[in-house]
Structures are given as structure tokens and as C-alpha cells.
Amino acid sequence: MKNKAIALALCGLMMFTLAACGGKNTAGSGSAKTSEDVEYDVNDYVTLGDYQNLEVEITGDYTVDQSDVDAMVDSLIANAAPCVEDPSQTVVAADSLVNVDYVGKKDGEAFDGGSASDVTIDVANNSDVSSGSGYIDGFSSGLVGARVGDTVDCNVTFPEDYSAPDLAGQPVVFTFTVNYIGRPVTRDTLTDDYVSRYFQTNTVEEFLGTVEAYVNQTAQYSRQNDINTAVMEAVINNATVEEVPRELLDLRVQEYTDQFEAAYCSDGTSLEDYLDTNYGMTLEEFTEQITETMRQNLITQLVFEAVAAKEGIELDEEGFDDYCDSMMEGNGFNSREDLYAAYGPTGDAGRSYLEKIYVCSRACEFCAESAVVTEVPAQ
């Protein structure tokens, strides 16, 4: 957990990530020089200051009590299934939670966005049980009195100010099929069958224990992440970086620009027109912004490369594999190839870049382990 927290924090601070553009970079080629081909001696650029036994301060509430666990359980229930079928109820009442399929028709024709299935409606509040979002007036009132298995029509008129012009102020008919009437699920009414179905745990006791462990782990992750951030800032502030390798900076800027253009200008729109239309900036302003962001990212990278070099911290394949697995899980990559391609103009360059970031994360972990941490309660 500690290593993962530091690695992800470093990725957040160290790069205006190529992956943010979406998709693979199509601008690079296997023979073109990439930023990862640039050779440099980090000691020519960085003079380290203090990086061990640093005094850092973090602000937050990292304690967990029963109310935190209860809130997480409530949230999980709401997202999974806030109510379940109650076979003892067969007739829809004014306060029922009723699961339905429905089709909305205007002039006898189904209209876009007017149909849904397996939706549970809070009749009393005329709202969706899962999301809490409300329906137009009268949407669910016609369900009262219907029996499970019935199909009923409800005549409804959309409000005059409805967002869809073709429906605003128009009368429509919603045809509902009543699937079942439900009962609400709460922490007090959880059953083994429910947690087994929705959370793949065998018993309620096991489910609650898993949630409590997760909430505690999340709090410690947050604390460690705050420590990592404070340590990184302190190490960088204590170091002196007069400049960054110019060729490396130029290539990083070009690679990002190429990736950005490939992602957003594939329809033939020029980068200049895209930036003007969507961001109100010129290409020169865009380049200046990216250059400064990349420069700051490189400063962070160089400082922790210098720490790694001084302390003999090197790449270890097992740890790097775990790091890549975390990156894939956290960002939805299906393969190592996709992961590497998202972080460089070529797969090899992307892997090389991530290897550097991983080693930097280990260097930051080394600094964080000796830090003297003062916790200030959150206001």
C-alpha cells in the first residue's frame, strides 16, 4: 500500500500525463528519437539538500469510527440494490417501492429516452430509488392500485420548460409493466443471501468485516499519501535545480503535443483551430503552458533520480511488475502494451519512462520512511 501510494502520487505530480490525451500516440515511429533516448548525468543538473529525517506536517482526519463504517455500508447498499423483492406485497400503494419496465410514447410512437427496464420507483416521492432523481409530475401516480404483473398506462404532460424541445408541453403515454413490489434494504435488514448476491461474501458478518477493513485501509492510504506529498515538496524545495536537459524538455513537449493533436484533431481540424475553439488560446500559449508544466515535472523527476543515484536505489522487476499492475487496474488498461503505449510515443519509450517513475517512487519512499510527521487535526 505504501509503495503504491507513493508511486501514484509521483505520477500525479510528475507529469501532465500523455494518457490524459486518450488513445495511443500515432505520431511517433520506432526509429525516431524519443525523450527516453536522451542521455544525461543527473548530477550535472541537481544539487540535493536535506532529504532524510525531514520534519513535515499533514492536516487531516485519519481516524475511523463506527459512523464511517456505517456510512460506507449505506453507500454500498444504495449503489447495489437499495430494495429487494417482497413477495408478500402484490398491490401498489401510494408509498410503495415498485420495480417496473416502461415505454413512453408520443402520438403512438416511442420517443428517444422514454423507455427503461428494471427500474425501481419510489411512488410517494415520484423518484428513482437508486439515483434519487425525480420524474416529471404525475409520472408514477397511475401505478397506485396496479397489481404485480399488470400493464398500465399513465397519461402525462411534459412541462413547458422541458429540456427536449420536441417534448416540452406535449402529452405522452407511459406504459408500465409492474415486475414486483420491493422492501427497502438497510444495515439492520441485511441477510446472508443479499450480501452473497451483491457483494460475493458468504455472511453479513463477513461483509461488515470486509467493509470495516476497507475503510481503515482507505484512511491509512490517505494519511500515507499526504505524507508522501509533503515529503516530495520538502525534498524538492531543499534541492537546487538550475536547469533541466533542454533536449529532454523539448522532446517531452513535442511528444505531448503530438499525442494531444492525434487525440483531438483526427477529423482534420488544425491544432490551432481546436485550441482557439475549445480553450480560447493560441498555439504559442499552449506550447508555453505545456513547456512550463513539463519543466516542473522534470524537476521533480530529476530530484528523485538524484536521490536514487546517491542511495543506490535501482529497478527491481518484481516491484515494477506490481507497480504496473496497479497502474493498469487504476486506469483501465487491458495489457502491458496498452499501458506502455499510453506513456510514450512508442511502447519501449513508455516502459522506460514508467521504469524511471517507479525508481523515483522508491526514492521518495526512502525519504518518507525517515520523515518526522506532525499531524494537525482538520478544522
Side-chain angles (χ1 to χ4, degrees), residues 131-366:
S131 67
S133 57
Y135 296 108
I136 59 176
D137 288 346
F139 177 77
S140 59
S141 58
L143 290 168
V144 177
R147 302 183 69 86
V148 173
D150 284 353
T151 298
V152 297
D153 290 337
C154 292
N155 297 309
V156 180
T157 299
F158 279 92
E160 295 289 344
D161 60 351
Y162 191 68
S163 58
D166 58 328
L167 294 175
Q170 298 299 304
V172 298
V173 177
F174 282 99
T175 300
F176 293 91
T177 299
V178 181
N179 298 323
Y180 63 82
I181 300 169
R183 61 171 178 81
V185 178
T186 67
R187 279 179 276 117
D188 295 330
T189 62
L190 285 173
T191 66
D192 292 346
D193 287 342
Y194 179 90
V195 298
S196 175
R197 177 179 179 182
Y198 293 104
F199 302 112
Q200 292 73 56
T201 52
N202 295 319
T203 66
V204 173
E205 182 180 7
E206 180 185 349
F207 167 68
L208 295 176
T210 300
V211 173
E212 182 176 3
Y214 173 80
V215 173
N216 277 288
Q217 185 182 48
T218 300
Q220 290 308 305
Y221 175 91
S222 177
R223 179 181 182 275
Q224 187 62 56
N225 194 58
D226 288 348
I227 293 172
N228 300 339
T229 301
V231 167
M232 279 191 288
E233 291 176 354
V235 174
I236 294 167
N237 289 338
N238 290 342
T240 300
V241 183
E242 298 291 349
E243 59 180 344
V244 300
R246 187 68 214 187
E247 184 183 17
L248 177 58
L249 175 60
D250 290 343
L251 283 169
R252 286 273 175 90
V253 171
Q254 188 60 55
E255 288 165 1
Y256 181 88
T257 302
D258 289 345
Q259 183 98 344
F260 188 97
E261 187 171 11
Y264 294 116
C265 304
S266 58
D267 61 353
T269 303
S270 69
L271 180 57
E272 291 87 344
D273 287 345
Y274 181 87
L275 293 170
D276 180 57
T277 300
N278 293 276
Y279 296 100
M281 67 167 56
T282 65
L283 179 57
E284 182 181 26
E285 291 170 333
F286 172 81
T287 302
E288 288 176 355
Q289 185 180 104
I290 299 306
T291 299
E292 179 56 24
T293 300
M294 292 297 178
R295 190 180 75 84
Q296 293 299 325
N297 291 342
L298 278 173
I299 288 173
T300 303
Q301 178 182 328
L302 291 169
V303 167
F304 283 98
E305 281 185 353
V307 173
K310 188 170 182 178
E311 297 297 333
I313 299 170
E314 299 178 344
L315 180 74
D316 65 289
E317 289 297 334
E318 183 177 353
F320 181 67
D321 285 344
D322 290 342
Y323 168 66
C324 288
D325 289 343
S326 296
M327 291 288 291
M328 290 174 61
E329 179 182 352
N331 295 280
F333 294 109
N334 294 319
S335 68
R336 288 290 176 85
E337 289 73 19
D338 290 342
L339 173 66
Y340 298 154
Y343 286 91
T346 68
D348 287 344
R351 177 185 172 107
S352 178
Y353 177 77
L354 289 173
E355 286 176 345
K356 286 183 180 178
I357 300 305
Y358 169 69
V359 171
C360 287
S361 77
R362 291 192 59 210
C364 184
E365 179 179 351
F366 174 82

Side-chain angles (χ1 to χ4, degrees), residues 10 29 47 267:
L10 270 166
S29 67
T47 302
D267 61 353

